[in-house]
Amino acid sequence: MASGALIVHFEDETAAAQRLANASRCPLRCVERHCFPDGELRLRLPEPLPRLVVIYRGLQYPNEKLVELMLAADTARAMGAEQVVLVTPYLAYMRQDIAFRTGEAISQQVVGRFLGNLFDAVMTVDPHLHRIQHLSEAVPLGERAIALSAAPLLGEFISRRRPGALLVGPDAESAQWVASAAATHGFDHAVCAKIRHGDRDVEIALPKLAIEGRQVVLVDDVASTGHTVAVAAQLLLQAGAQSVDLAVTHALFAEGALSLVREAGVGEVWSTDAITHSTNSMSLAPLLAEALLPLLAC
Ligand code: R5P
């Protein structure tokens, strides 16, 4: 068993995991993964494993990846790891935080408990916490449920590309990220009101403030189908915005979403590398590495 710590990652996230390894000066190895014709998985962890194993796995399109984590965390412990930490820049299932109808799974709690049972610490970025204050209310690991925010990074980035912009969040939930991004350079900011009627059906009302002639940057945690951003952008342009761009932490962008957003009139789309995507403009590696250091030192 080697001493120290090791980050292990999956092949499709090599570039982002390498950036984290470089920033945290921690060695990196890849998990060997085979998917059988019937969909079952075989994983093989690198040998030897040190005392502390950090598993890097974003949970976009999460269902198969949750099984990967179950196999990997358990195997790491069987191989002698004393601490197994999950770094998941995008933490899935956080939006379903309430049973809107009887019988609905409260996925945030179910998935949170699942991860809390597997790992000694879970670190993520801008999880969609709406009705709870702290990640530990979903992932029961106390202070070792670590939620970082990319909002200041978005604010810094926007200040270089659109100084003087008006930052707009497309719904009430985005207020936390918009306010935090705006605070970096004192941007004007506001949020819309949104009603979601279905996956691809949202109704938005603009905030009551002057939009005519403003360069607007929409700020949100997640862009998925793109409908939220598309509807907000169309309304902002109709209200006279000079331009509408998008800064988003998690570029989920389901099929067709980016085209929809562009057709709605959005100019630039800037995202962090929480999810690998063609719009990635900001690296989370320094933020993650800084938060990881105290854990690596334990
Ligand atoms: C929801 O409140 C989130 O912050 C996003 O606004 C939402 O998930 C975006 O979804 P979509 O792109 O599918 O409209």
Side-chain angles (χ1 to χ4, degrees), residues 95 128 171 173 194 196 220-228:
R95 283 172 287 182
H128 194 90
D171 50 31
E173 286 128 288
K194 178 172 91 179
R196 184 177 284 282
D220 209 357
D221 60 332
V222 177
S224 179
T225 67
H227 280 264
T228 297

Side-chain angles (χ1 to χ4, degrees), residues 165-168 211 214-218 236 241-245:
L166 166 65
L167 307 195
V168 172
I211 284 159
R214 297 294 305 261
Q215 292 188 312
V216 176
V217 179
L218 282 164
L236 287 161
Q242 185 192 119
S243 61
V244 178
D245 302 299

Side-chain angles (χ1 to χ4, degrees), residues 3-297:
S3 60
L6 176 70
I7 301 175
V8 298
H9 71 100
F10 291 76
E11 201 177 2
D12 58 313
E13 291 179 313
T14 300
Q18 186 67 63
R19 287 192 284 276
L20 175 60
N22 294 346
S24 56
R25 296 169 184 236
C26 188
L28 178 73
R29 301 278 303 276
C30 193
V31 176
E32 197 181 297
R33 178 188 189 278
H34 176 73
C35 185
F36 291 101
D38 56 17
E40 292 182 14
L41 297 173
R42 180 186 65 213
L43 300 186
R44 182 163 177 244
L45 299 189
E47 293 178 280
L49 283 186
R51 195 183 64 76
L52 173 63
V53 173
V54 177
I55 299 179
Y56 182 94
R57 197 57 170 145
L59 284 171
Q60 56 281 8
Y61 298 96
N63 297 344
E64 215 171 78
K65 292 174 185 168
L66 290 171
V67 176
E68 289 174 354
L69 294 182
M70 180 177 76
L71 297 173
D74 197 84
T75 306
R77 291 191 198 283
M79 290 168 70
E82 290 163 23
Q83 297 274 313
V84 186
V85 171
L86 174 65
V87 172
T88 182
Y90 175 67
L91 179 54
Y93 282 116
M94 292 296 108
R95 283 172 287 182
Q96 181 82 23
D97 61 356
I98 195 172
F100 293 95
R101 292 170 301 154
T102 52
E104 272 184 6
I106 305 177
S107 316
Q108 183 191 72
Q109 295 293 316
V110 178
V111 172
R113 277 196 301 273
F114 173 74
L115 296 176
N117 286 331
L118 285 179
F119 294 98
D120 296 290
V122 170
M123 181 184 296
T124 191
V125 180
D126 291 330
H128 194 90
L129 307 183
H130 176 41
R131 272 166 274 257
I132 61 172
Q133 295 299 310
H134 193 271
L135 182 61
S136 62
E137 293 169 60
V139 182
L141 289 171
E143 292 306 311
R144 291 192 143 217
I146 302 164
L148 308 173
S149 181
L153 191 64
L154 299 184
E156 286 299 334
F157 188 90
I158 295 165
S159 76
R160 293 195 296 276
R161 298 301 190 92
R162 296 287 183 272
L166 166 65
L167 307 195
V168 172
D171 50 31
E173 286 128 288
S174 63
Q176 53 185 306
W177 299 294
V178 177
S180 168
T184 56
H185 288 270
F187 288 106
D188 294 340
H189 61 101
V191 294
C192 305
K194 178 172 91 179
I195 302 173
R196 184 177 284 282
H197 299 294
D199 290 344
R200 292 178 165 77
D201 183 7
V202 296
E203 191 184 326
I204 286 179
L206 292 183
K208 295 196 186 329
L209 82 173
I211 284 159
E212 180 95 41
R214 297 294 305 261
Q215 292 188 312
V216 176
V217 179
L218 282 164
V219 174
D220 209 357
D221 60 332
V222 177
S224 179
T225 67
H227 280 264
T228 297
V229 167
V231 172
Q234 279 163 347
L235 291 172
L236 287 161
L237 290 167
Q238 281 163 19
Q242 185 192 119
S243 61
V244 178
D245 302 299
L246 169 65
V248 66
T249 303
H250 302 295
L252 273 178
F253 287 120
E255 201 181 337
L258 193 56
S259 310
L260 184 85
V261 162
R262 296 222 186 273
E263 282 158 21
V266 174
E268 301 287 336
V269 178
W270 304 301
S271 65
T272 77
D273 63 355
I275 296 171
T276 303
H277 190 262
S278 60
T279 59
N280 288 171
S281 316
M282 292 158 268
S283 169
L284 291 176
L287 180 73
L288 292 169
E290 191 184 345
L292 198 53
L293 276 181
L295 299 180
L296 296 179

